[in-house]
Amino acid sequence: MAENAKQAKQSSGGGSGLNRAKMYQLVLFPFNNGATNVYYVLLMNYIAYYANGVLGLLVAFATTMVTVTRALDAVIDPFVGMFIDRTETKIGKFRPFMILGNVVMAVSALLVFYGTRLIPEDATAVKYVLYTVFYMCLMVGYSIQTSCTRSGQTCLTNDPKQRPTFTLFNTIASLVGMGVTMATASIVGGNVGYGTEAFFNFLIPLVIILSGALTALAVIGIAGKDRKEFWGLGNEDEKPQLKVKDYVEIFKANKELQRLMVAASGTKFAFAIATNTSVGVLLYSCMMGNYNGLYLPMYILGYAFSAPFFIGGLRISQKYGQKKTLVSFTSLALIMYLGVTAMLAMWQPGNPSLTLSIFGTEGGLHPTLNLYTIIFIVLYGLGYGAYYSTADMAIPMIADCSDFEMYRSGNYAPGVIGTLFSFVDKLVSSLSTTIVGIAITVVGLTALPDTTTPYMDGMNWLTIALFCIIPIVAWLLTLWAMKGYTLTGERMKEIQAVNACRKDAISEGMSVDEALGTWQTIDQVPDMYRES
């Protein structure tokens, strides 16, 4: 049977047995994440402003709803994953969910941000109910489409040298999606206010059109790989469908997935808080007094600093594996943000030499850099660049965990493995907006801060806690979790070689159980599967 596996591999022309994607596929499929990130920005940063500022709903309700619906999204995810794993259509396994999810989000966004305005002013209870229902529909669509980002990679490529490129191309997708949305929103919101109808009249059409266009690109990217021959070990017809108890067993047995959940969800939680619009307003407007002159320039500088980290991280990941990159860059971010914490602790109200200043507030854009700002930019830029370049690194690592599960048990369950991860990820990150909302009330604010909100005592330490301390704690947790994570670059090469050998043997008639028992280590597979 081993000879049959060799012959099958030779006839396929696959060399080492790896499933490699074409360049356009690697570039386009990450736009699915870019498409959903557009809505992520809307839901995590601005929807509370709409509920509070436009509809007049209580700020506590507005911020808590973000947490509740995000938690609902997390609960929905595993069920979506089960449907993905059981789906087989003429247009594939993943594309139907990508398209359906985006359509549901577009329709729901129109209902949330326009339909609720038609409710009479005195029908307060109706506003609360319909806002909640439409918001939940939006989260269902979001859950459906985001589930495909993590699970779809398993059929796109399993090449340990190609898979890390998802992080780089995903950044490009995020720049087009999240970056364009946040940059545009900051300009418009800084001029007309975040809690105004004018702001959302501009933002919502942008979100719907941009996300739809990015989804179309992602569908094109995965089209050639969303086929049965690229799903699992090629034994999908013979094996029974996994049941809920099987998924519970997968979660309990896959220790690598558990460790990745801890590392990534903590970092995502910290990222959601530190980049929250209200935190940006606290730092750049309430403390530093120049939101328009600081927020967008610092945002752009953060992206500029991240560019070399993405390029360097890709090379490190291809050579040593993604764990090495994640641990190295997280450690650097932690050190740099200790410095940022010290800088913000030194800040003094009204002291121009201890205040951030890039451009003047009057008389046009003229440079007003001081030493305090230069040091802050270096520390913040290096720290932000390092951790932002790892923000989505967990996504290709989830695909590694899925391939590890196929190696461990023979089960191809990318939908549920991806959504089990997102269940914990979203459940934890769902707390971010509520925590920001609660923290804001501690200093005495009754509404979310805007560019007109004056500085109040305690805002500096609140900002330090949200902007620095919480991310630092999250990074310590990440480093602890990664200490026992075993899916290094070398280990993934061995896993892919064994999986490829088993798949060829199964295609030649060997049973799954026999294949799992015959090839268990890299030393047992034919030499041709070990070619790099």
Side-chain angles (χ1 to χ4, degrees):
M1 188 59 70
E3 186 61 34
N4 288 339
K6 287 185 185 181
Q7 292 173 358
K9 195 75 251 160
Q10 289 168 347
S11 64
S12 70
S16 61
L18 294 177
N19 167 31
R20 294 187 175 95
K22 296 179 180 178
M23 181 56 69
Y24 83 89
Q25 294 170 327
L26 294 172
V27 172
L28 293 185
F29 178 64
F31 278 108
N32 189 68
N33 199 37
T36 55
N37 276 344
V38 173
Y39 282 96
Y40 177 81
V41 171
L42 175 67
L43 296 172
M44 298 303 291
N45 286 358
Y46 305 117
I47 196 167
Y49 279 98
Y50 175 80
N52 179 235
V54 178
L55 295 183
L57 307 184
L58 294 175
V59 65
F61 172 83
T63 54
T64 302
M65 273 302 299
V66 175
T67 295
V68 171
T69 52
R70 182 78 171 167
L72 172 67
D73 178 32
V75 173
I76 293 170
D77 272 357
F79 295 98
V80 175
M82 291 182 192
F83 280 117
I84 291 176
D85 288 341
R86 294 164 180 251
T87 295
E88 182 180 336
T89 72
K90 291 183 179 179
I91 61 170
K93 179 186 290 286
F94 304 104
R95 283 173 288 170
F97 290 93
M98 294 164 64
I99 296 169
L100 175 63
N102 199 259
V103 171
V104 171
M105 284 194 293
V107 173
S108 300
L110 292 173
L111 292 173
V112 170
F113 293 98
Y114 293 105
T116 53
R117 296 189 208 176
L118 302 178
I119 303 171
E121 286 295 325
D122 57 349
T124 305
V126 177
K127 279 187 180 181
Y128 277 96
V129 171
L130 289 184
Y131 172 82
T132 302
V133 171
F134 295 154
Y135 192 170
M136 287 183 175
C137 291
L138 181 54
M139 294 308 299
V140 169
Y142 179 81
S143 182
I144 291 172
Q145 188 171 358
T146 54
S147 298
C148 299
T149 298
R150 296 170 175 85
S151 56
Q153 292 176 86
T154 56
C155 71
L156 188 70
T157 179
N158 62 7
D159 185 346
K161 290 186 177 180
Q162 279 195 334
R163 190 165 277 172
T165 63
F166 182 91
T167 305
L168 177 62
F169 294 131
N170 180 70
T171 303
I172 298 172
S174 293
L175 282 171
V176 177
M178 181 184 290
V180 168
T181 305
M182 289 189 70
T184 307
S186 68
I187 295 172
V188 177
N191 291 320
V192 304
Y194 289 108
T196 63
E197 288 190 5
F199 174 71
F200 290 99
N201 287 343
F202 178 88
L203 185 63
I204 301 309
L206 172 67
V207 165
I208 292 174
I209 294 171
L210 181 58
S211 181
L214 297 183
T215 299
L217 293 176
V219 168
I220 294 171
I222 200 174
K225 291 289 187 176
D226 193 8
R227 303 202 306 266
K228 195 169 184 177
E229 58 264 36
F230 298 111
W231 301 339
L233 292 173
N235 59 319
E236 301 304 298
D237 291 333
E238 293 78 20
K239 49 185 287 197
Q241 291 185 334
L242 295 174
K243 299 178 181 179
V244 174
K245 65 177 183 179
D246 298 315
Y247 293 125
V248 173
E249 180 57 33
I250 287 174
F251 174 72
K252 290 170 60 178
N254 197 322
K255 302 298 182 183
E256 312 305 322
L257 178 62
Q258 294 175 19
R259 289 187 172 277
L260 185 59
M261 284 178 174
V262 172
S265 59
T267 301
K268 185 71 170 288
F269 170 71
F271 182 79
I273 288 182
T275 60
N276 187 280
T277 299
S278 296
V279 178
V281 171
L282 286 172
L283 175 59
Y284 299 119
S285 179
C286 300
M287 283 182 62
M288 303 302 171
N290 187 9
Y291 183 83
N292 290 335
L294 288 171
Y295 178 80
L296 190 56
M298 293 299 292
Y299 187 71
I300 294 172
L301 282 170
Y303 275 118
F305 271 93
S306 68
F309 285 100
F310 277 106
I311 297 172
L314 174 60
R315 293 178 179 175
I316 295 172
S317 296
Q318 288 177 326
K319 187 172 183 179
Y320 301 106
Q322 295 169 107
K323 173 186 174 179
K324 176 71 172 179
T325 307
L326 180 60
V327 170
S328 299
F329 288 1
T330 299
S331 300
L332 177 61
L334 192 155
I335 295 170
M336 292 299 104
Y337 263 64
L338 288 174
V340 172
T341 303
M343 295 297 293
L344 292 181
M346 292 169 57
W347 172 80
Q348 296 177 0
N351 187 339
S353 63
L354 292 175
T355 299
L356 290 179
S357 181
I358 299 178
F359 297 109
T361 58
E362 299 177 358
L365 295 177
H366 55 277
T368 57
L369 277 172
N370 54 31
L371 181 61
Y372 180 89
T373 304
I374 293 173
I375 296 174
F376 183 91
I377 287 175
V378 172
L379 293 172
Y380 165 78
L382 290 174
Y384 183 91
Y387 93 79
Y388 182 72
S389 66
T390 65
D392 289 321
M393 189 171 290
I395 298 178
M397 293 174 76
I398 294 167
D400 288 346
C401 290
S402 182
D403 289 342
F404 170 71
E405 181 59 35
M406 192 162 61
Y407 163 82
R408 188 191 69 83
S409 67
N411 289 317
Y412 179 65
V416 166
I417 286 179
T419 52
L420 280 174
F421 172 87
S422 62
F423 170 75
V424 176
D425 175 60
K426 291 177 181 178
L427 204 60
V428 172
S429 64
S430 67
L431 297 172
S432 61
T433 303
T434 297
I435 287 178
V436 171
I438 293 174
I440 285 171
T441 62
V442 171
V443 297
L445 290 176
T446 57
L448 295 175
D450 210 331
T451 52
T452 59
T453 304
Y455 178 78
M456 300 172 61
D457 288 341
M459 277 187 176
N460 57 330
W461 295 110
L462 173 64
T463 304
I464 289 172
L466 297 174
F467 192 73
C468 300
I469 303 301
I470 290 178
I472 287 172
V473 172
W475 294 330
L476 288 171
L477 192 62
T478 296
L479 295 175
W480 171 80
M482 283 292 101
K483 195 171 183 180
Y485 185 81
T486 65
L487 299 184
T488 61
E490 192 61 33
R491 177 63 172 153
M492 284 311 302
K493 291 178 182 178
E494 296 177 358
I495 289 172
Q496 301 298 4
V498 173
N499 281 345
C501 185
R502 290 172 175 174
K503 184 172 183 177
D504 288 334
I506 291 169
S507 69
E508 289 293 304
M510 180 181 279
S511 70
V512 176
D513 289 340
E514 189 179 357
L516 293 178
T518 303
W519 294 289
Q520 297 178 338
T521 67
I522 186 67
D523 296 329
Q524 295 173 332
V525 303
D527 290 342
M528 63 183 305
Y529 290 95
R530 286 178 262 177
E531 296 174 4
S532 59

